[in-house]
Amino acid sequence: MTNRATATIHGWLLLLPAMACLALFTHWPAIASFVDSFMSTPRARRPARFVGLDNYQQMAADPIFWKAMANNLWFAMGTIPTSIALALLMAVWVNDRIAGRTLVRMAYFTPTILPMIAVANIWLFFFTPQYGLLEQIVGAFGGRSTNWLGSQDTALYAVTVVAIWKEAGFFMIFYLAALQAIPPSLGEAAAIEGASRWTFFRRVQFPLLMPTTLFVLINAVINAFRMIDHIFVMTRGGPDNATTLLLFYIYQVGFGFWDTAYAAALTCVLLLLLALVAFVQYGWLERRTHYQ
Amino acid sequence: MDRREFLGSTAALAGSLAMARPVLAQSAELSFFYPVAVGGPITKLIDSYAAGFEKENPTIKVKPIYAGTYQETIVKALTAHKSGTPPVLSVLLSTDMFTLIDEEAIVPFDPFIKTEDDKKWLSSFFPGFMENSQTGGKTWGIPFQRSTVVLYWNKELFKEAGLDPEKPPTTWAQQLEFAQKLTKRDAAGNTSQWGIQIPSSGFPYWLFQGLTTQAGAILANPAGDKTDYANPGVVEALQYWVDLAQKHKVHPPGIVEWGTTPRDFFEKKVAMMWTTTGNLTNVRANAKFPFGVAVLPAGKKPGSPTGGGNFYLSKKASPAEQEAAFKFVRWITTPERAAQWSADTGYVAVTPAAYETEAMKKYVADFPQALVARDQLPTAVAELSTHENQRVTKALNDGLQAALTGTKQPGPAMADAQAEAERILKSYR
């Protein structure tokens, strides 16, 4: 055997454990879900049988699915740009030499390390009508009492705010790391040229952060579609499905109704959606993010 | 340790296991899942019952496993069932009976009823609780942490509003009238104190069933394959609920959280609340004012649904395990234990005999509010339960929430819910 062949075999052997895990926990479930989505749900006395596109037809006629889809798009539009912008702002701020820098960084990062269920419980009381924190603040300014989580008009916004609060601190860490990787000589050069702070950010820092922004964007999109835990604690998808997101609905169909076939079909749609987004991001955006 | 030593010790271990076998053969391990749905130290109580049982039955090991809310517990129990190793015993909603039967996850208790004594035990439960435990002539669940909806009222706020603090409302009209007197608004029109609160998050159908029963409507048939959501009585009941908030403004608008409702009551943000009798011990411990507990006010007639959890026996457990579980269920439902459990939590004791025990008599002499839920049982109805229970119930919940948040009128909301339930249940007839 040649050296080259041995090296190849070694390489594959080193990859094997990771590949096995990936296949077992990612590829196999995805394929199984795809196959199951064309079958009926197996019941104790009625085994699964092939039903073709029945599950997908059911989905097209299912108003709750469309509601969940629309909710999820609003949720994504609400969380992604806001949390990224906030993260960038916070990172630029705590990158500077300000007093109590470590403390501020820690404060911003805290939401990320708290368990989501605990966070949701805290926010549940923030949103409580009449004596919750938000009510106290709004009331102090003479505003009217609002049932934030219990009204169709505000419930989705309320859960969106919690997600932004949680995400921004996490993304800040990536931006902070990227900002610190920018050579200080660039800043010095800009200072000698007399560039304003804004110009320096716009012409130097921001373009250099583009690869980070892409990375953060991908994470933000994935997070927007896999958000589920705080929905459980805060609204359980209510009122009348106003906060039902796609993954929550999949859980409900799969483990609440035990309609596993329909849940598999829903999962395929979610996968397809994410694949599409990934395709746009890797195939198109990535090529445009490299700075000249 | 070298290899020879290792092999030697393994052999010794195997030998000792073989020797221990005759003892092991009679013993069984009894795993059981249970949820926590009300305030209070439920896990501690369950653990102490398990320890008490083990002491009297040294061959049986009880392993209680706290599994979350009712919803989470049934998800875990059914997932475990599908993967092949379910808990021997579980406490799940009495309304999950049809779902569990359809999944072939449970066995009826009837084969374990052998002696006269067993038969006497089975007929000792309140008949109201057996409605959600039996179908097709078989007993699938044994009542354990059962409840009804009751009205709690703040006597202090009643006095402030000029009402007799000892007299709760007894009719719908009176309930509204009292609520109007108990609602406080400031000059800007903001409400600082609501008259009444009926929670509507999570499982609004349950509290709503109090209203529908009072309006003379029954939501589902005993076979669990037909619902009656569009019944005029149901619509009338929903109109009453919606009007409390939107027309009379004596009930908070939008969806009211189940979990924070007792706290709203403690904070005096609400003068009367509807919630489970299972919250009794929680309210007693945390309300810093005198409070009363009453049967729900009557519409056309008085009424409330029963609720709460039953014991279920896993089909996939071995006969020895099932036998052990049966023994445990009998042990924990004896009058003394049922009385103890009721006093510790506020749940209704499941047998009339429990109310005849010395301990219970002493407890209610000191705290007569504990008797209200039992006294309501004669007018109580079975909790809404059908095949594909979660889905059929969600149809109703969605309709209720749509009406309460003002996106649909009660009539159309209930018609939509009925149409959806009809679609799902058609194949079960």
Side-chain angles (χ1 to χ4, degrees):
Chain A
M1 213 185 290
T2 63
N3 263 349
R4 201 183 151 78
T6 323
T8 312
I9 290 167
H10 266 171
W12 282 107
L13 278 178
L14 286 170
L15 275 177
L16 193 67
M19 274 193 355
C21 282
L22 194 68
L24 192 65
F25 294 110
T26 307
H27 298 145
W28 171 244
I31 294 166
S33 296
F34 184 71
V35 172
D36 284 348
S37 75
F38 296 103
M39 310 287 276
S40 71
T41 298
R43 297 279 180 211
R45 289 189 195 83
R46 263 183 304 172
R49 63 194 163 78
F50 181 77
V51 293
L53 289 173
D54 270 12
N55 288 317
Y56 291 93
Q57 273 160 2
Q58 184 189 344
M59 198 186 306
D62 179 0
I64 301 178
F65 163 71
W66 290 109
K67 177 96 187 163
M69 197 70 155
N71 284 342
N72 221 145
L73 289 179
W74 282 113
F75 183 78
M77 279 200 284
T79 51
I80 297 167
T82 325
S83 59
I84 292 179
L86 258 178
L88 188 57
L89 201 73
M90 295 193 308
V92 170
W93 190 37
V94 298
N95 191 36
D96 275 355
R97 290 182 186 289
I98 53 164
R101 186 169 67 166
T102 320
L103 202 71
V104 178
R105 283 182 186 176
M106 204 175 70
Y108 283 164
F109 193 58
T110 311
T112 309
I113 52 174
L114 290 175
M116 200 60 203
I117 299 297
V119 162
N121 270 308
I122 297 168
W123 278 86
L124 195 60
F125 277 101
F126 283 3
F127 285 127
T128 303
Q130 301 179 74
Y131 53 87
L133 183 70
L134 263 174
E135 288 292 87
Q136 303 276 1
I137 297 170
V138 172
F141 289 99
R144 290 194 69 88
S145 174
T146 316
N147 188 349
W148 301 99
L149 289 171
S151 149
Q152 305 243 11
D153 309 322
T154 51
L156 189 59
Y157 293 113
V159 296
T160 306
V161 166
V162 179
I164 293 170
W165 176 80
K166 170 96 178 164
E167 303 255 276
F170 181 54
F171 296 151
M172 178 200 75
I173 292 297
F174 296 110
Y175 273 125
L176 191 58
L179 278 172
Q180 295 190 340
I182 295 175
S185 57
L186 293 177
E188 286 156 15
I192 291 167
E193 298 275 346
S196 72
R197 173 94 206 250
W198 171 241
T199 316
F200 175 62
F201 172 75
R202 195 167 60 90
R203 305 301 291 258
V204 181
Q205 279 181 315
F206 189 67
L208 286 172
L209 289 176
M210 271 326 265
T212 309
T213 305
L214 179 73
F215 174 76
V216 165
L217 184 69
I218 290 167
N219 272 289
V221 170
I222 294 169
N223 284 349
F225 283 93
R226 64 161 208 199
M227 189 54 72
I228 185 165
D229 20 18
H230 74 272
I231 301 287
F232 266 105
V233 178
M234 293 170 69
T235 62
R236 270 156 258 116
D240 189 18
N241 300 310
T243 55
T244 299
L245 300 184
L246 212 47
L247 192 59
F248 180 81
Y249 189 49
I250 293 174
Y251 175 86
Q252 205 166 40
V253 169
F255 296 97
F257 310 156
W258 291 100
D259 190 349
T260 43
Y262 187 42
L266 287 166
T267 306
C268 286
V269 169
L270 178 61
L271 275 180
L272 190 77
L273 206 73
L274 286 177
L276 218 70
V277 173
F279 182 75
V280 171
Q281 284 173 331
Y282 286 115
W284 180 68
L285 271 182
E286 193 175 35
R287 256 181 280 152
R288 311 182 121 244
T289 44
H290 291 286
Y291 34 85
Q292 269 97 30
Chain B
M1 196 180 340
D2 70 19
R3 189 149 76 180
R4 192 176 304 159
E5 240 177 304
F6 174 75
L7 288 174
S9 61
T10 311
L13 189 70
S16 65
L17 276 177
M19 301 240 286
R21 207 124 162 233
V23 188
L24 281 171
Q26 288 159 20
S27 70
E29 195 175 87
L30 172 53
S31 58
F32 94 92
F33 279 11
Y34 68 96
V36 172
V38 296
I42 303 292
T43 49
K44 229 167 86 188
L45 292 172
I46 297 271
D47 284 345
S48 75
Y49 289 131
F53 178 75
E54 279 180 358
K55 219 175 190 180
E56 290 177 31
N57 301 274
T59 51
I60 302 172
K61 268 209 95 46
V62 185
K63 268 182 59 191
I65 299 155
Y66 163 59
T69 62
Y70 274 118
Q71 287 303 321
E72 288 158 11
T73 308
I74 188 171
V75 168
K76 284 178 194 163
L78 275 180
T79 312
H81 166 72
K82 284 169 191 243
S83 73
T85 48
V88 180
L89 193 65
S90 344
V91 175
L92 301 167
L93 280 176
S94 59
T95 51
D96 286 324
M97 176 175 67
F98 289 110
T99 307
L100 292 164
I101 295 170
D102 290 342
E103 293 285 350
E104 299 197 334
I106 54 171
V107 286
F109 280 86
D110 306 76
F112 299 93
I113 311 291
K114 287 168 198 144
T115 63
E116 270 315 298
D117 197 37
D118 289 339
K119 278 182 198 145
K120 234 169 76 194
W121 167 77
L122 189 64
S123 59
S124 71
F125 295 95
F126 281 112
F129 290 147
M130 297 313 278
E131 285 186 40
N132 279 111
S133 312
Q134 295 172 323
T135 190
K138 283 183 178 159
T139 304
W140 298 89
I142 296 297
F144 174 53
Q145 44 185 40
R146 297 300 295 270
S147 53
T148 63
V149 185
V150 289
L151 173 90
Y152 295 76
W153 84 92
N154 182 330
K155 291 186 178 175
E156 216 170 274
L157 298 181
F158 264 53
K159 213 181 276 173
E160 269 176 39
L163 294 164
D164 183 348
E166 298 307 323
K167 285 211 177 103
T170 53
T171 63
W172 278 14
Q174 216 174 29
Q175 179 169 251
L176 172 60
E177 185 197 318
F178 282 21
Q180 278 166 330
K181 287 189 181 149
L182 289 161
T183 303
K184 279 190 200 156
R185 292 188 181 83
D186 62 15
N190 272 326
T191 310
S192 57
Q193 178 187 310
W194 295 100
I196 185 168
Q197 185 159 311
I198 303 173
S200 45
S201 75
F203 39 92
Y205 78 89
W206 191 53
L207 294 131
F208 179 62
Q209 212 185 340
L211 288 165
T212 56
T213 311
Q214 292 149 20
I218 294 295
L219 288 174
N221 64 348
D225 58 12
K226 209 168 167 70
T227 59
D228 196 12
Y229 294 167
N231 182 304
V234 176
V235 177
E236 185 195 333
L238 181 53
Q239 189 70 52
Y240 178 79
W241 194 2
V242 169
D243 282 350
L244 283 178
Q246 286 167 18
K247 190 165 146 204
H248 306 297
K249 301 195 189 307
V250 296
H251 180 290
I255 300 307
V256 174
E257 266 297 315
W258 164 266
T260 56
T261 293
R263 175 175 283 254
D264 296 342
F265 186 69
F266 304 149
E267 303 271 343
K268 299 189 193 171
K269 292 295 177 190
V270 53
M272 299 185 280
M273 68 164 172
W274 284 29
T275 189
T276 167
T277 181
N279 259 320
L280 195 56
T281 304
N282 181 27
V283 175
R284 191 188 191 190
N286 291 301
K288 292 183 183 66
F289 45 79
F291 71 95
V293 181
V295 298
L296 296 179
K300 286 195 188 80
K301 58 178 200 174
S304 162
T306 62
N310 278 345
F311 279 117
Y312 292 104
L313 262 183
S314 167
K315 190 172 185 170
K316 285 188 179 162
S318 72
E321 288 171 333
Q322 289 176 342
E323 200 62 56
F326 179 69
K327 214 168 175 183
F328 179 69
V329 170
R330 279 214 55 173
W331 181 87
I332 207 165
T333 50
T334 53
E336 290 73 31
R337 239 86 59 184
Q340 172 81 39
W341 176 242
S342 174
D344 285 344
T345 57
Y347 283 116
V348 188
V350 284
T351 57
Y355 287 90
E356 301 303 322
T357 58
E358 276 312 304
M360 194 59 151
K361 279 186 177 153
K362 225 170 110 197
Y363 172 62
V364 297
D366 180 41
F367 188 50
Q369 286 97 323
L371 284 175
V372 172
R374 181 201 64 173
D375 295 342
Q376 188 167 241
L377 280 179
T379 58
V381 297
E383 186 177 359
L384 171 62
S385 174
T386 62
H387 292 277
E388 295 217 32
N389 192 48
Q390 305 248 0
R391 191 177 259 182
V392 174
T393 305
K394 181 176 160 59
L396 179 58
N397 283 343
D398 286 351
L400 292 176
Q401 295 195 335
L404 287 169
T405 53
T407 48
K408 280 183 193 169
Q409 288 297 313
M414 290 299 96
D416 289 355
Q418 175 62 20
E420 172 73 1
E422 196 62 21
R423 190 182 68 73
I424 300 162
L425 287 178
K426 217 182 266 165
S427 62
Y428 288 91
R429 287 176 206 148

